[in-house]
Amino acid sequence: MEIKDIAEAMGLHDGIMVTPKFFVDSGEAQRLIDASDGAVSTVFTDFSPNPDVTEVDACAEIIRKNHCEFVVAMGGGSAMDVSKAAASICLTDDSIADYHGTGKAMPQKHLPIIALPTTAGTGSEVTCVSVLTNRKLGKKAPIVSDGFFPSVAIVDPELTYSVPPKITASTGMDVLSQAIEGFWSKGHQPICDSCAAHAAKLVFKYLPIAVAEPHNEEAREKMCEASVIAGLAFTLPKTTSSHACSFPLTNIHGIPHGEACGLTLDYFARINKDAQHGRVQEFARGIGFKDVDAMADAIHDLKVRIGMRTGLKDLNLTEEQIADLVRISRHPNLYNNPVEITDDMLDTMYHYLASTD
């Protein structure tokens, strides 16, 4: 019903819904399409969990072909990533690959986006970032554009009830990483700092409950709140070391994004604990811990409790594979970290994780 009202208010017709096939098979997508009373006329589901540039181009072509006037992004971060990029690139004759990791500025003209997040994770419904993969080039990287901000975000905790515990856990770790990294980022700022602390406290308290009790209304609502607030916490400051390392862990070894971020978060917390004249220590104390070491211990314990990885021993990584992780982790986000991260530090970390269950 809300989609219909929003479309009418904006004078929009013939919207396209970008959503995982799961929501088509479950009937949820059709329910919302029917409720839109004709405002949404097309559905695109042909994209992967780590969407490829070719999938964005395919979505953009369908938008052009059907003369769609707006995009409804329903799903987790992948649906949002595809929607944002396609809503801009569809108004050109270009491929999104022309703008992916090339430094070329995205065109600012775009179709309106209505975001309906179904996971409490990426915060993508309030950010200007689209994370895409170019499998042909072996590259995963974010694109940033003011045109990627959704016009409207409808955050309904009930849409997260059907999310499996493993995905709830992984996306929740993404929220925690966004919050903490947004705080210690070199680009930190006061309003984002407050958002970071608020979101982190909610994750520590409610993520274990949401994983164990998927229909717990309070836990689902609070995790949705944390996701939106963490999105605001990191959008301007940008993420740092854990996100930089997550890209090769996901791209090469298939570890889900949030789980990959959480894998190194406690490690980098210890590295950063005395950075920025004690700010990180103040953050840990402000959200209820004795110090950063205690917060890092809590991050580790949280991962164990919700079934997330704490090491990479099962992958039996070779020296060559570890060297690849070090090399590819030197992503631009790494340079937002408050402590300079050297290759030796990355090598030590990955060797530690490779020996840890």
Side-chain angles (χ1 to χ4, degrees), residues 197-210:
H198 182 80
K201 287 173 72 173
L202 291 176
V203 175
F204 279 116
K205 181 175 181 178
Y206 289 103
L207 179 56
I209 302 172

Side-chain angles (χ1 to χ4, degrees), residues 75-352:
S78 299
M80 305 284 172
D81 291 335
V82 172
S83 297
K84 291 175 175 182
S88 289
I89 208 68
C90 70
L91 299 178
T92 75
D93 294 325
D94 300 337
S95 165
I96 194 65
D98 298 338
Y99 303 88
H100 185 238
T102 64
K104 184 177 180 181
M106 280 291 297
Q108 292 302 293
K109 191 175 180 182
H110 60 94
L111 297 183
I113 300 167
I114 299 173
L116 281 79
T118 60
T119 63
T122 65
S124 190
E125 66 275 8
V126 293
T127 73
C128 58
V129 180
S130 171
V131 181
L132 302 174
T133 298
N134 187 325
R135 292 187 177 84
K136 184 178 179 180
L137 299 180
K139 178 173 63 176
K140 180 177 181 179
I143 304 176
V144 178
S145 170
D146 286 345
F148 290 169
F149 281 114
S151 301
V152 178
I154 303 172
V155 182
D156 183 352
E158 289 189 17
L159 291 175
T160 70
Y161 286 4
S162 62
V163 175
K166 183 81 172 179
I167 297 177
T168 297
S170 179
T171 55
M173 287 307 300
D174 193 16
V175 175
L176 186 61
S177 299
Q178 290 166 352
I180 294 177
E181 291 178 74
F183 182 89
W184 70 38
S185 170
K186 287 180 179 179
H188 69 85
Q189 47 189 277
I191 293 175
C192 297
D193 289 350
S194 297
C195 290
H198 182 80
K201 287 173 72 173
L202 291 176
V203 175
F204 279 116
K205 181 175 181 178
Y206 289 103
L207 179 56
I209 302 172
V211 171
E213 305 171 32
H215 285 80
N216 185 300
E217 293 182 11
E218 182 182 23
R220 288 296 196 182
E221 179 183 341
K222 292 299 184 182
M223 282 305 301
C224 284
E225 179 182 334
S227 180
V228 172
I229 298 297
L232 298 174
F234 87 90
T235 297
L236 294 178
K238 303 295 184 286
T239 53
T240 66
S241 44
S242 288
H243 269 73
C245 293
S246 77
F247 296 131
L249 289 168
T250 297
N251 225 19
I252 300 172
H253 299 288
I255 300 173
H257 172 71
E259 186 171 15
C261 291
L263 179 62
T264 64
L265 187 62
D266 46 338
Y267 195 96
F268 282 118
R270 298 185 198 280
I271 288 175
N272 293 332
K273 66 181 179 180
D274 294 320
Q276 299 173 329
H277 306 290
R279 284 185 73 254
V280 185
Q281 294 285 10
E282 290 175 8
F283 176 84
R285 289 192 289 269
I287 64 171
F289 298 104
K290 177 184 177 182
D291 53 24
V292 173
D293 284 322
M295 183 179 75
D297 289 342
I299 294 170
H300 178 274
D301 293 346
L302 175 62
K303 289 187 288 186
V304 172
R305 186 174 175 185
I306 63 177
M308 293 285 95
R309 298 179 159 268
T310 57
L312 299 169
K313 190 173 182 179
D314 60 305
L315 297 183
N316 298 311
L317 296 174
T318 65
E319 289 297 323
E320 183 179 0
Q321 288 175 312
I322 290 175
D324 282 343
L325 286 172
V326 170
R327 176 176 56 82
I328 303 172
S329 293
R330 196 144 290 286
H331 181 277
N333 289 51
L334 195 66
Y335 300 95
N336 295 332
N337 200 70
V339 173
E340 181 182 355
I341 304 299
T342 66
D343 284 354
D344 285 343
M345 293 166 74
L346 291 171
D347 184 76
T348 299
M349 180 187 72
Y350 282 124
H351 272 93
Y352 166 75

